[in-house]
Amino acid sequence: MVLTTLVDGRRETRELADGSYIIGRSESCRLRFPFSDVSERHAILTVHGGEVSLEDLHSSNGTFVNGEPIDGRVILSGSMIVQIGQCMLRVSDEVDQGVADVSADGANASCSVGENDLDGDASGEDALVGLEEAELPQADPMRELRRSVQEQIQRELLKRMDMKRLTVQGVDREGLEERAQEKIHQIIDEVVANGRLPAGIDPVRLEDDVFNEAMRLGPLEDLLEDDSVSEIMVNGPSKVYVERNGRLELSDCQFTDDASVLAVIERIVSPLGRRIDESQPYVDARLSDGSRVNAIIAPLSLSGPTVTIRKFAKKALSPEDFIRFGTWTHNMAEFMRLCVLLRKNIVVAGGTGSGKTTLLNLLSGYIPANERIVTVEDAAELRLQQPHVVRLEARPANIEGKGAVTIRDLVKNCLRMRPDRIIVGECRGGEALDMLQAMNTGHDGSLTTVHANSPRDVISRLETMVLMSGMELPSRAIREQIASAVDIIIHESRLSDGSRKVVAISEVTGLEGSQIVMQDIFSFRQTGVGHNGKIAGEFGPTGAMPTFYDTLAGRGLSVDPRMFNPDSAVDVNVVRT
């Protein structure tokens, strides 16, 4: 039997004697493919008396035959294509010349800078016979060639730049980047002058790619510059997904290997004084523009180093932008501005990725410029425009497990900082009790976010988080605290079409018996789904009048009551009297 493999654009054949062959990335496997999407012991191939069978060994990503996942033992024929991660295999009785012949056009050319020539092109066709019928992805020889050239130049750059010596000499980051740019330009000029750069590779683009990989965030730089991308998800070096217009899609961006992804993670977390290693294999961080970053590595991540980046818009969004996006209406925006001006305590609720932090940032823009604002966050993301803002950020424990400063510690401390407003990026634990106490002891006008599926769920979540503080309070006492502290709950949701909408604005009106009473002021009602998958529906007031409406005149504010009339379509503005 002859085994033909296609890995990274390279085709190889080998004879298989009767016996069993473990396939995986472990060094103990007889058929080893050292890639992150291949399990340590992925599958077993058995050859006996002319019959070949394949069985998946409960791998993480599955084993596919002709594009279909297998479950149990499968007998292979010569026309079947096996896919394990990015590797493709076929077992046949004899070598097929269509598979065995390697194109002479250079698809498998090896490239190096210096003594070896950098030449060849990527015009060779490299596919297994029957691959088209099986509809499995083909390797891109040109991309493999570009990556190979890029790796050679990076190695040459490391030889020519003594990064450790430059750092000891006190060269700052800008100086290091400037010197790296000069060296990369010099290396590529030498390669081009000697005629060793393969045809079809743009030297300008190559220079940018090498610089980004060496000094910045590598392949992610282009995605970070792309305004249409709202989220980036790196699932190991070879799979990078992005979110565009609320939809996930696989990008053509790839890293060289796991080490390249780990280097990018280090560049993100090191300036923040955070760390990621085997003893602390996950971390939350932020980019310089405030974008949120989460990274998790082995041994917790089985698919390689995984990075999730939630990008922040380069330009601060305005209420009009939200109206144009269909997130809310003019009257809803004006009502929320009214609540902020009246110093109502507001909780923004929603699921992951629903836009809570973006909405919290927008609401903070309604706070008058003459007030002192203290923000408390796990990773500082809020970008407030007011002149008097104090930003506090939690700190994880050091390598000895000491020195951690939690959100709860910071909430307690900020009460001593004479804040006019307290903004907590997210309540997710015992800090909820301290936040409620702050709201109940004169620090009105506070804002925070909570993960919840509805305004009513916010109450249950707050109760649970108060119990997480370790204070054994009775349920009624907790609910009294919540009813007294929280005034408005804004629930934002990410719908099935990827759009984000404020689906409810509710007022907490008090406590009756042991139940907290709430009323919806505005809501979104879904009426259907369009032919293009877009959610159809309408925003509108419920007809309920907020309990504080009669106090507006005494606060120097005036609002047309038609804002709360479901039969009125008039856009109403909050007016100072």
Side-chain angles (χ1 to χ4, degrees):
M1 287 293 175
V2 177
L3 172 69
T4 304
T5 60
L6 178 63
V7 182
D8 280 347
R10 296 180 175 85
R11 191 191 307 109
E12 297 179 357
T13 60
R14 61 175 290 179
E15 293 282 343
L16 292 182
D18 282 7
S20 296
Y21 298 81
I22 299 293
I23 305 172
R25 72 166 184 260
S26 171
E27 293 184 357
S28 63
C29 295
R30 295 181 70 182
L31 296 176
R32 182 169 181 258
F33 301 110
F35 302 102
S36 59
D37 52 2
V38 179
S39 298
E40 293 284 336
R41 292 166 56 86
H42 198 108
I44 182 169
L45 186 72
T46 303
V47 180
H48 180 68
E51 182 181 87
V52 182
S53 64
L54 180 71
E55 186 175 355
D56 185 85
L57 297 178
H58 305 290
S59 62
S60 301
N61 298 324
T63 303
F64 297 79
V65 174
N66 287 352
E68 296 294 329
I70 66 171
D71 184 13
R73 185 168 174 267
V74 175
I75 304 298
L76 300 180
S77 66
S79 61
M80 290 182 176
I81 303 296
V82 178
Q83 184 174 16
I84 294 177
Q86 57 188 288
C87 314
M88 285 172 280
L89 308 87
R90 194 187 65 174
V91 181
S92 56
D93 293 328
E94 58 185 11
V95 177
D96 190 317
Q97 292 302 313
V99 176
D101 292 343
V102 178
S103 171
D105 291 339
N108 296 323
S110 62
C111 309
S112 62
V113 174
E115 298 179 358
N116 296 328
D117 284 347
L118 270 165
D119 55 17
D121 60 57
S123 60
E125 180 177 343
D126 212 341
L128 290 172
V129 172
L131 186 58
E132 293 82 359
E133 291 80 355
E135 297 183 351
L136 296 177
Q138 296 190 40
D140 181 356
M142 192 65 192
R143 184 170 63 185
E144 297 300 325
L145 185 61
R146 282 196 302 267
R147 285 176 61 186
S148 179
V149 173
Q150 186 175 329
E151 289 174 33
Q152 321 299 319
I153 295 176
Q154 286 168 352
R155 285 197 290 269
E156 185 68 15
L157 175 66
L158 291 175
K159 292 178 184 177
R160 300 191 185 187
M161 280 190 70
D162 189 343
M163 303 292 285
K164 185 175 181 180
R165 180 177 57 82
L166 292 174
T167 304
V168 170
Q169 289 178 353
V171 179
D172 60 11
R173 182 167 184 81
E174 289 185 3
L176 287 173
E177 290 187 356
E178 185 176 341
R179 295 196 187 191
Q181 192 88 57
E182 292 174 359
K183 292 292 184 184
I184 294 168
H185 186 74
Q186 177 185 347
I187 294 169
I188 293 178
D189 278 353
E190 292 175 7
V191 173
V192 172
N194 294 328
R196 296 202 297 266
L197 187 67
I201 294 183
D202 180 7
V204 176
R205 176 61 187 271
L206 178 63
E207 184 175 330
D208 290 340
D209 289 344
V210 174
F211 177 75
N212 289 334
E213 183 84 18
M215 302 303 297
R216 294 186 177 170
L217 302 185
L220 300 183
E221 286 291 333
D222 289 341
L223 298 179
L224 290 170
E225 291 297 322
D226 188 346
D227 292 336
S228 67
V229 174
S230 57
E231 199 146 1
I232 303 169
M233 290 143 279
V234 181
N235 301 348
S238 58
K239 292 182 181 178
V240 179
Y241 288 85
V242 298
E243 180 188 84
R244 283 191 175 94
N245 302 317
R247 302 288 185 179
L248 292 180
E249 58 185 64
L250 180 64
S251 76
D252 58 0
C253 165
Q254 284 191 344
F255 289 83
T256 305
D257 50 27
D258 285 356
S260 299
V261 185
L262 288 170
V264 166
I265 296 173
E266 284 293 339
R267 290 193 198 108
I268 294 173
V269 303
S270 295
L272 304 177
R274 303 198 174 196
R275 64 186 178 86
I276 185 166
D277 49 40
E278 287 190 2
S279 62
Q280 180 64 42
Y282 56 89
V283 67
D284 286 317
R286 67 180 189 279
L287 301 180
S288 57
D289 64 355
S291 296
R292 182 186 306 172
V293 180
N294 174 268
I296 184 166
I297 63 174
L300 300 187
S301 174
L302 303 181
S303 56
T306 301
V307 185
T308 308
I309 302 176
R310 184 168 299 163
K311 290 173 58 180
F312 272 24
K314 293 182 174 63
K315 180 178 75 73
L317 297 176
S318 67
E320 290 71 26
D321 291 326
F322 276 67
I323 295 170
R324 190 174 69 256
F325 298 154
T327 304
W328 60 23
T329 62
H330 172 84
N331 285 350
M332 295 169 73
E334 281 295 291
F335 178 72
M336 284 186 271
R337 184 166 80 91
L338 173 67
C339 293
V340 174
L341 293 175
L342 290 174
R343 301 182 66 87
K344 297 297 179 183
N345 294 321
I346 300 174
V347 176
V348 179
T352 300
S354 61
K356 299 186 298 298
T357 303
T358 303
L359 180 55
L360 184 67
N361 207 64
L362 182 64
L363 292 176
S364 69
Y366 293 138
I367 299 175
N370 61 349
E371 296 189 15
R372 175 177 170 85
I373 306 169
V374 180
T375 68
V376 178
E377 300 175 83
D378 198 22
E381 300 167 348
L382 295 173
R383 292 180 291 178
L384 276 64
Q385 305 303 315
Q386 289 84 346
H388 197 165
V389 178
V390 179
R391 305 172 72 202
L392 306 180
E393 183 179 50
R395 185 180 71 185
N398 60 21
I399 196 168
E400 297 174 349
K402 300 178 181 178
V405 179
T406 65
I407 293 284
R408 189 175 185 188
D409 296 329
L410 295 178
V411 170
K412 290 178 181 177
N413 186 78
C414 77
L415 299 178
R416 305 182 181 94
M417 298 173 65
R418 197 264 177 216
D420 288 313
R421 307 263 186 163
I422 299 172
I423 301 178
V424 178
E426 182 181 342
C427 280
R428 58 165 69 95
E431 64 271 8
L433 175 61
D434 302 288
M435 187 72 192
L436 292 175
Q437 288 180 325
M439 291 176 172
N440 277 324
T441 54
H443 297 91
D444 49 355
S446 298
L447 300 143
T448 189
T449 69
V450 169
H451 276 85
N453 295 324
S454 69
R456 176 59 62 182
D457 282 347
V458 172
I459 306 302
S460 302
R461 284 277 295 152
L462 287 173
E463 278 192 66
T464 302
M465 288 188 289
V466 168
L467 293 173
M468 290 169 65
S469 68
M471 302 291 290
E472 296 183 3
L473 299 173
S475 293
R476 182 174 179 83
I478 297 173
R479 291 176 184 175
E480 286 176 350
Q481 286 270 334
I482 296 172
S484 176
V486 179
D487 298 309
I488 299 292
I489 297 174
I490 302 171
H491 181 231
E492 188 171 12
S493 182
R494 179 177 176 178
L495 305 183
S496 58
D497 63 351
S499 63
R500 296 169 173 87
K501 298 185 185 297
V502 174
V503 295
I505 302 177
S506 305
E507 180 189 16
V508 178
T509 58
L511 190 68
E512 287 187 3
S514 61
Q515 294 298 317
I516 292 177
V517 181
M518 305 167 61
Q519 63 173 0
D520 289 344
I521 307 297
F522 291 91
S523 65
F524 173 78
R525 185 170 62 88
Q526 182 175 336
T527 57
V529 180
H531 66 278
N532 57 356
K534 290 290 184 182
I535 298 295
E538 57 185 18
F539 296 97
T542 63
M545 191 73 74
T547 57
F548 52 82
Y549 182 80
D550 294 336
T551 68
L552 295 180
R555 303 287 187 92
L557 298 168
S558 175
V559 177
D560 190 325
R562 287 181 295 177
M563 173 186 281
F564 308 106
N565 185 352
D567 299 323
S568 173
V570 177
D571 286 344
V572 176
N573 291 321
V574 176
V575 180
R576 289 189 179 274
T577 58

